[in-house]
């Protein structure tokens, strides 16, 4: 897809399967998915693609999120990111920057492998609040620490919104995690937002009060999600979440106080 002069490509790594009602629902409602069965598999499960997005802008090749990595526990499966990049003619050494929307395991899997950076020429960037929460904090998951610590001086932390590359800006939106970051593409009068896990399912655009079990701060996450959706409604802005079906972009349409997501 082109956003003005910027090219953005979905880079698939794998897929996870969850019981939808166990991870995403309206508090206090017994069957929250009753009106949204079209988004589910026949058994009531929700398929969650894993991967990232490759942004080509100017002389930069930026990977936004690094997928699940080589992993298969029967529920979550990853491992296809490097072959997906190769299919687009992109080798690991071609990637100039790796930026993270946040540091959950399914977004950092290809950051390193066997203690070595997978993208040898890249600078890696993440918000300082997530680094402190997931890597240096007292309750940091050991797997995350082991995965990211080898980055060493390839890592740069940021604590304010900034421009990553021409037409690609980082915008801090805490809630899902302390350092959650949305990446905004803008060129030629067009705009697109890479939402990470601000939104897990397109249903959350129409259901304002649904919560996902992985939000560190559910109230803040809901506020961020609804603010972005309301700002984008009935505009030409394109949006995509990390786990949207087929990792497809779409627009938000609003009518009579309701919102819905329409894939493009």
């Amino acid at each position: 897809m082109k956003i003005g002069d910027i090219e953005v490509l979905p880079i698939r790594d794998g897929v996870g399967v969850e019981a939808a009602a166990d991870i995403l629902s309206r508090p206090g409602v017994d069957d929250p998915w009753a009106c949204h069965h079209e988004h589910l598999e026949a058994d009531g499960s929700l398929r969650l693609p894993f991967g990232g997005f490759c942004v080509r802008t100017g002389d930069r090749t930026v990977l936004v999120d690094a997928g699940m990595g080589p992993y298969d526990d029967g529920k979550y499966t990853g491992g296809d990111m490097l072959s997906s990049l190769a299919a687009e003619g992109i080798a690991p050494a071609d990637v100039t920057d790796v930026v993270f929307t946040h540091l959950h395991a399914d977004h950092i899997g290809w950051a390193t492998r066997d203690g070595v950076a997978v993208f040898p020429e890249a600078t890696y960037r993440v918000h300082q609040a997530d680094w402190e929460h997931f890597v240096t904090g007292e309750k940091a998951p050991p797997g995350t620490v082991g995965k990211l610590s080898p980055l060493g001086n390839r890592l740069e932390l940021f604590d304010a919104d900034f421009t990553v590359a021409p037409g690609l800006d980082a915008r801090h939106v805490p809630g899902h995690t302390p350092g959650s970051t949305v990446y905004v593409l803008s060129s030629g009068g067009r705009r697109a937002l890479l939402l990470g896990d601000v939104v897990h399912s397109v249903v959350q655009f129409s259901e304002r009060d649904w919560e996902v079990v992985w939000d560190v701060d559910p109230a803040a996450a809901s506020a961020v999600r609804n603010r972005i959706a309301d700002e984008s409604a009935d505009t030409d802005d394109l949006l995509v979440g990390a786990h949207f079906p087929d990792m497809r972009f779409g627009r938000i349409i609003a009518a009579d106080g309701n919102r819905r997501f329409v894939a493009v």
Side-chain angles (χ1 to χ4, degrees), residues 69-246:
Y71 183 83
D72 186 351
D73 67 356
K75 181 178 178 181
Y76 291 174
T77 303
D80 293 339
M81 177 164 276
L82 297 189
S83 59
S84 295
L85 283 167
E88 301 291 350
I90 302 168
D94 296 331
V95 176
T96 59
D97 307 80
V98 177
V99 295
F100 299 107
T101 60
H102 64 293
L103 295 183
H104 279 153
D106 55 314
H107 294 257
I108 64 171
W110 287 102
T112 65
R113 191 174 186 186
D114 299 327
V116 177
V118 170
F119 303 97
E121 303 301 321
T123 299
Y124 291 71
R125 296 182 175 88
V126 67
H127 196 282
Q128 183 172 333
D130 253 33
W131 188 260
E132 292 174 350
H133 184 83
F134 288 101
V135 181
T136 61
E138 291 183 1
K139 297 182 180 180
T144 304
V145 175
K147 175 65 69 173
L148 297 177
S149 293
L151 292 177
N153 61 10
R154 291 198 171 278
L155 177 76
E156 291 186 3
L157 303 180
F158 59 89
D159 61 4
D161 297 353
F162 75 106
T163 297
V164 178
L168 178 61
D169 295 296
R171 177 181 172 190
H172 184 211
V173 288
H176 179 59
T177 67
S180 283
T181 303
V182 164
Y183 291 91
V184 182
L185 289 70
S186 53
S187 174
R190 300 189 64 197
R191 205 167 82 117
L193 286 75
L194 308 180
L195 299 176
D197 283 2
V198 167
V199 184
H200 280 75
S201 167
V202 299
V203 171
Q204 289 175 282
F205 289 126
S206 56
E207 300 287 356
R208 288 178 175 268
D209 55 354
W210 280 32
E211 296 180 358
V212 68
V213 296
W214 300 298
D215 285 342
V216 171
D217 185 338
S222 178
V224 163
R225 180 167 52 251
N226 284 303
R227 184 175 72 247
I228 290 174
D230 286 337
E231 289 173 351
S232 301
D234 294 330
T235 72
D236 289 332
D237 287 356
L238 297 176
L239 300 91
V240 66
H243 305 298
F244 283 12
D246 297 322

Side-chain angles (χ1 to χ4, degrees), residues 16-21 23-24 32-49 199-207 210 243-246 259-263:
V17 179
E18 290 277 4
I23 65 164
L24 181 60
W33 286 88
C35 297
H36 300 289
H37 285 164
E38 71 275 14
H39 297 286
L40 304 179
E41 303 300 306
D43 62 357
S45 64
L46 184 64
R47 289 176 61 85
L48 301 170
V199 184
H200 280 75
S201 167
V202 299
V203 171
Q204 289 175 282
F205 289 126
S206 56
E207 300 287 356
W210 280 32
H243 305 298
F244 283 12
D246 297 322
R259 299 181 314 223
R260 61 188 177 93
F261 179 84
V262 179

